[in-house]
Amino acid sequence: MNTLLLTIAAYLIGSISFAVVVSKAFRLADPRTYGSKNPGATNVLRSGNKAAAALTLLGDCVKGWLAVWLVQQYGPQFGVGDDGVALVALAVFLGHLWPVFFRFVGGKGVATALGVLLGLNGWLGLATLVTWLVVAYAFRYSSLAALIASVFAPFYYGLLFGFDAKLLAVLVMSALLIYRHRQNIANLMAGKESKIGSKKK
């Protein structure tokens, strides 16, 4: 029962769409109406407001980290083990992808996935972040960086900790990230993908 309650709470935390909330606070257009129409930091950046994009990125990342950190810190005293941590990690990520507060229209999950990885282990999150940064710097495509980082994340986890329930959660997150980027993959192949920092049309 405790695991179920924590999983539901994690999903609700994940359902807070900071792209929409921050855009409203800054009186910007709804990020679901321009650019990629994705409620995420990269699309908010297309509004030209770097502060709003940074706050969106931070908020989406922190909610992933917070849910996992809380269950790892306090879950054991309520009988919640690694399986529960894995469920919470997935739940907060799924909340971002399909948020109950925003008619189940959410973002692609890159920042929240990073937060989850940082919550699971700092080194795991850092290795994945460095991978994203290197690819993004080299090619200027946020989507390509996310795709490559999502492929490497399960590898990093397995290298650090071996096979367990949390690795399965990371694998599922990676698969969903790739799925959510299917249009970006098509755009990259067609040479139509927008680069980091490009303004909304």
Side-chain angles (χ1 to χ4, degrees):
M1 180 59 73
N2 289 330
T3 298
L4 176 60
L5 291 174
L6 289 172
T7 301
I8 293 173
Y11 170 77
L12 294 176
I13 292 172
S15 290
I16 302 170
S17 179
F18 281 92
V20 177
V21 172
V22 170
S23 292
K24 285 184 178 180
F26 278 75
R27 297 183 179 179
L28 302 173
D30 189 321
R32 296 168 294 181
T33 64
Y34 63 81
S36 65
K37 295 182 171 59
N38 174 61
T42 300
N43 203 37
V44 173
L45 184 60
R46 292 190 177 102
S47 71
N49 194 312
K50 294 180 180 180
L55 285 174
T56 298
L57 179 66
L58 180 63
D60 284 342
C61 182
V62 167
K63 71 183 181 184
W65 169 83
L66 180 63
V68 175
W69 182 82
L70 286 173
V71 72
Q72 291 203 128
Q73 286 291 114
Y74 302 106
Q77 61 187 286
F78 296 104
V80 178
D82 283 352
D83 290 351
V85 173
L87 287 173
V88 164
L90 268 180
V92 69
F93 180 71
L94 292 174
H96 179 81
L97 266 55
W98 294 287
V100 67
F101 304 132
F102 297 92
R103 299 181 181 180
F104 303 102
V105 179
K108 294 175 182 176
V110 177
T112 302
L114 174 61
V116 168
L117 296 177
L118 287 168
L120 290 173
N121 181 270
W123 290 112
L124 171 65
L126 181 61
T128 307
L129 175 60
V130 169
T131 302
W132 188 96
L133 289 171
V134 168
V135 177
Y137 179 79
F139 299 100
R140 306 297 296 172
Y141 289 111
S142 174
S143 56
L144 180 62
L147 287 165
I148 293 177
S150 66
V151 170
F152 274 88
F155 169 76
Y156 293 146
Y157 187 97
L159 190 65
L160 288 169
F161 308 108
F163 185 89
D164 59 17
K166 289 180 283 188
L167 173 57
L168 289 177
V170 175
L171 282 167
V172 172
M173 283 196 305
S174 294
L176 285 171
L177 276 168
I178 293 170
Y179 171 75
R180 296 286 283 193
H181 281 80
R182 60 194 183 281
Q183 184 58 54
N184 301 92
I185 294 172
N187 289 341
L188 284 166
M189 294 178 67
K192 298 179 180 179
E193 183 72 347
S194 298
K195 291 191 174 184
I196 294 172
S198 62
K199 299 291 183 66
K200 65 179 181 180
K201 297 182 179 179

